[in-house]
Amino acid sequence: MCGIVLAAGPDPDRAEFQHLMEYLAGRGEVEEMLAEDGLLAGVHRLRIVDRQRAVQPWRSRDGRLVLCYNGEVFNHRQLRAELAAGCGPARSESDTEVVLEAFRQWGPEAVGRFRGEFAFAIAERDTGDVYLARDPLGVKPLYWSRARGRLYVASEAKALVPVGAAIREVPPGHHGWSRRQGEPVLSPYADLNRLGESQPRVDDPDEAAKLVRAAIEDSIRVRVDTDLTVGVILSGGLDSSLTLLTVREAHPDCVAFTVGTPDSPDLAYARRLTAELDVPHEVIELRPRDVRAEEIREAIRMAELTEYGDIINAVVSVPLFRRVHETGVKVVLTGDGSDELFGGYPMYHEVGPASARRLFLHKIANLYRTELQRVDRTSMGQGVEARVPFLDLALVELAMRLPVELKVRDGQEKWIVRQAFADVLPDYIRTRPKNPMSYSTGLHDRARLYKPRFARLHREMGYDLLEPIRRDFDSVLMKCGNDLDRALGQIAARQDYTLLEHARDLAGALRWNARAMMRRKAMATVPPSAPPADRTVEPSV
């Protein structure tokens, strides 16, 4: 719900700080700042919970602690009840107040009690120390840099580029202190490499289906606990469709958003489902020719991504969330994360169970820098908060207790999810195979024309202060026969594609786009009385 910036240390420069704040203006509706000796803190706040009183930076009653906070803690009402005796009279009904009061009473242990999607910094005024924390899956971002004896903290890397020093990221599920003269010392409070290990495996299909359904419904329910209209990003696929079905039951004031080309299968499925559910539907139609150099540049600028495929997906996401913002919707739910939990990719059933578990854990642990980063930047950059119910920690842990045989069965991916919602999902959705939108519409191949420029644009924007662009890990993994160790070794040995690989990719994109242009010309010459031409989208080269 926010973009945060903080500068702590001797004589922070107000003009420089205001410049850093400007980079995050899109993340909120109002700008709020605090300036004290040795501390500048600012927030661009998207007003969602207790919209008038949840001002930031939030100060403790005694003025000793200052909080800059992004996201939402969904169990804040329960935590407030636990804290009530030591809180004093409430100053708001916001989760912002609860986060700081929980920290004040419970210290760093508080972060383990939060159920939500969040990142925050707490400055201790007496000492100049700063405490940093990020949610378990890394849904919300947090970066830091040190220069001129000061600690700089921000929600996005772009706000730290002008500082001119190396940029570091707070890893998912980590927290810790940055003392006045030192770098942050961070440690995990949630271990993504051991998800589900301490709990018994669930082998029975009926029990698994009940648990999965209950966990998904509960995760969605807490994320629509608002008086605002809730949007759902709908592709017409399994995950987004069941999200819409569940949202409609829990929060009838909802609207669906779908992006695709006019002949996209996604639009056809989404239109049919929203019509049957009587849910308002906003369609953002794109054509391959709409993807131009300026759209590529804006996607790179906004998303800060470091893998080519993620950048291409961001090109499609930017106009989607721009339209969400134009409608006045502030909160949307997406289906991201389900594939990584429930076996939505062939790799999981092409290896043995032990290797499959490692692949699951690797994908989950890296979502923060791939899929989740795309969703956060392209939504919050337009003043929209995207929530990801499939990545609630309890649901993630449950998914890792399920054997791969319940996730992929009879050649069908995400089998257990389809079973769990079989009574409410229309058959045409439940049996629909996975169909990545950027591929199925041809937008991917259009964006491929610009791939040789990605790394240069990334460097020009200063993002290599964090990390340079590198090869798509999933492509390397596939070429390595889904051998994770071998793929990691290849990425370490050669980070980016070679010039020859780039040339081959460009040649394939040129061939696809040339054939697409010929098809469009041929269709334009077909008489109106003639039967429609075959408009099947050709697979990527």
Side-chain angles (χ1 to χ4, degrees):
M1 70 177 187
C2 296
I4 66 175
V5 184
L6 180 145
D11 303 317
D13 186 312
R14 293 195 182 194
E16 176 194 56
F17 185 80
Q18 186 63 55
H19 181 52
L20 304 185
M21 285 280 291
E22 291 170 359
Y23 282 91
L24 301 184
R27 292 183 74 97
E29 302 164 275
V30 294
E31 180 183 286
E32 299 164 335
M33 291 183 60
L34 178 149
E36 295 182 350
D37 182 35
L39 176 68
L40 294 175
V43 174
H44 284 285
R45 181 165 62 96
L46 185 61
R47 294 179 287 195
I48 295 175
V49 179
D50 198 350
R51 295 184 280 278
Q52 299 307 315
R53 293 184 293 174
V55 295
Q56 289 201 54
W58 187 270
R59 301 184 66 165
S60 60
R61 293 176 187 278
D62 59 10
R64 187 175 65 87
L65 301 175
V66 175
L67 167 69
C68 287
Y69 166 57
N70 171 31
E72 184 168 341
V73 169
F74 301 120
N75 61 336
H76 66 95
R77 292 187 182 87
Q78 298 94 308
L79 294 174
R80 185 183 291 277
E82 294 180 44
L83 291 163
C87 272
R91 294 182 283 162
S92 75
E93 296 180 0
S94 72
D95 56 324
T96 303
E97 180 178 19
V98 170
V99 167
L100 190 56
E101 284 299 326
F103 179 82
R104 190 181 67 81
Q105 289 197 35
W106 300 326
E109 291 184 3
V111 71
R113 302 191 186 202
F114 297 157
R115 179 188 186 183
E117 303 168 359
F118 57 83
F120 60 86
I122 297 176
E124 195 173 65
R125 300 300 298 118
D126 296 341
T127 64
D129 298 339
V130 178
Y131 172 78
L132 305 175
R134 189 176 183 185
D135 67 68
L137 275 296
V139 177
K140 290 299 175 185
L142 196 61
Y143 298 89
W144 63 271
S145 188
R146 264 208 173 271
R148 301 177 287 282
R150 305 179 200 124
L151 174 72
Y152 294 84
V153 180
S155 292
E156 298 184 16
K158 60 177 64 68
L160 297 180
V161 168
V163 174
I167 300 171
R168 300 288 183 261
E169 187 167 10
V170 176
H174 280 61
H175 67 152
W177 285 96
S178 174
R179 304 302 178 184
R180 183 185 290 269
Q181 296 300 327
E183 295 187 348
V185 178
L186 304 171
S187 60
Y189 67 89
D191 189 350
L192 297 183
N193 294 312
R194 308 191 62 158
L195 291 166
E197 275 190 11
S198 62
Q199 297 171 291
R201 192 167 117 150
V202 182
D203 291 299
D204 181 72
D206 292 335
E207 180 188 4
K210 290 177 183 177
L211 291 172
V212 166
R213 179 160 177 167
I216 291 174
E217 289 178 338
D218 181 62
S219 182
I220 291 174
R221 177 186 57 78
V222 301
R223 284 165 173 78
V224 298
D225 183 14
T226 176
D227 61 344
L228 298 171
T229 300
V230 171
V232 175
I233 303 303
L234 177 67
S235 69
L238 174 67
D239 311 314
S240 63
S241 295
L242 73 84
T243 299
L244 179 62
L245 284 161
T246 308
V247 168
R248 180 176 172 272
E249 292 300 313
H251 192 87
D253 182 12
C254 62
V255 57
F257 295 88
T258 305
V259 63
T261 55
D263 57 352
S264 165
D266 287 356
L267 294 193
Y269 279 93
R271 283 185 168 125
R272 181 176 176 182
L273 182 64
T274 52
E276 291 176 359
L277 296 178
D278 194 26
V279 170
H281 190 204
E282 290 282 338
V283 173
I284 302 90
E285 289 191 355
L286 297 178
R287 294 168 175 80
R289 65 175 179 269
D290 295 327
V291 178
R292 297 159 298 186
E294 52 263 44
E295 281 72 36
I296 298 292
R297 183 179 183 85
E298 177 61 6
I300 292 173
R301 183 201 68 79
M302 186 175 289
E304 306 175 346
L305 289 158
T306 57
E307 290 193 19
Y308 290 87
D310 293 321
I311 292 171
I312 291 174
N313 289 334
V315 172
V316 180
S317 298
V318 170
L320 167 62
F321 287 112
R322 182 182 299 130
R323 180 59 187 148
V324 175
H325 173 77
E326 290 170 353
T327 67
V329 172
K330 296 181 185 179
V331 175
V332 298
L333 270 62
T334 81
D336 293 281
S338 177
D339 290 321
E340 287 75 16
L341 298 189
F342 296 108
Y345 303 115
M347 69 180 79
Y348 299 122
H349 56 90
E350 292 175 354
V351 296
S355 295
R357 179 175 175 81
R358 286 193 68 208
L359 289 174
F360 275 113
L361 291 172
H362 177 84
K363 290 286 288 184
I364 292 167
N366 281 275
L367 279 170
Y368 77 98
R369 50 170 295 276
T370 54
E371 195 79 358
L372 289 177
Q373 181 168 323
R374 174 188 61 80
V375 171
D376 173 81
R377 300 300 193 282
T378 56
S379 62
M380 289 301 293
Q382 310 285 350
V384 175
E385 180 171 291
R387 299 176 177 178
V388 282
F390 282 98
L391 294 179
D392 190 277
L393 184 58
L395 177 57
V396 175
E397 289 178 329
L398 171 61
M400 292 311 299
R401 295 167 57 199
L402 306 181
V404 70
E405 293 81 9
L406 292 184
K407 299 179 181 183
V408 182
R409 177 176 286 195
D410 300 326
Q412 192 173 59
E413 84 282 356
K414 294 180 285 192
W415 181 85
I416 193 63
V417 178
R418 299 175 196 271
Q419 289 297 111
F421 290 88
D423 62 321
V424 295
L425 281 169
D427 284 344
Y428 63 89
I429 295 293
R430 190 167 61 86
T431 59
R432 186 188 180 193
K434 182 173 176 59
N435 192 27
M437 185 274 296
S438 65
Y439 283 90
S440 65
T441 61
L443 297 173
H444 180 94
D445 287 278
R446 173 68 178 184
R448 283 172 67 203
L449 292 172
Y450 300 93
K451 281 178 67 176
R453 303 185 190 182
F454 287 9
R456 176 174 58 80
L457 290 170
H458 184 86
R459 288 192 301 271
E460 287 177 358
M461 293 171 189
Y463 296 157
D464 54 338
L465 286 169
L466 174 65
E467 186 181 1
I469 281 187
R470 59 183 180 180
R471 290 185 290 168
D472 296 292
F473 184 78
D474 285 352
S475 297
V476 176
L477 184 64
M478 183 174 62
K479 290 179 180 178
C480 292
N482 297 317
D483 183 324
L484 183 59
D485 292 322
R486 186 178 161 204
L488 290 170
Q490 285 204 10
I491 284 287
R494 192 178 76 240
Q495 197 164 51
D496 200 355
Y497 293 109
T498 65
L499 288 175
L500 179 59
E501 287 172 321
H502 273 303
R504 288 173 177 169
D505 188 64
L506 178 60
L510 287 169
R511 287 195 297 271
W512 188 95
N513 281 272
R515 287 195 291 267
M517 184 176 295
M518 291 175 62
R519 285 197 300 271
R520 288 196 297 270
K521 288 181 177 178
M523 290 174 61
T525 62
V526 175
S529 58
D534 180 10
R535 302 187 70 181
T536 301
V537 175
E538 213 173 298
S540 300
V541 176

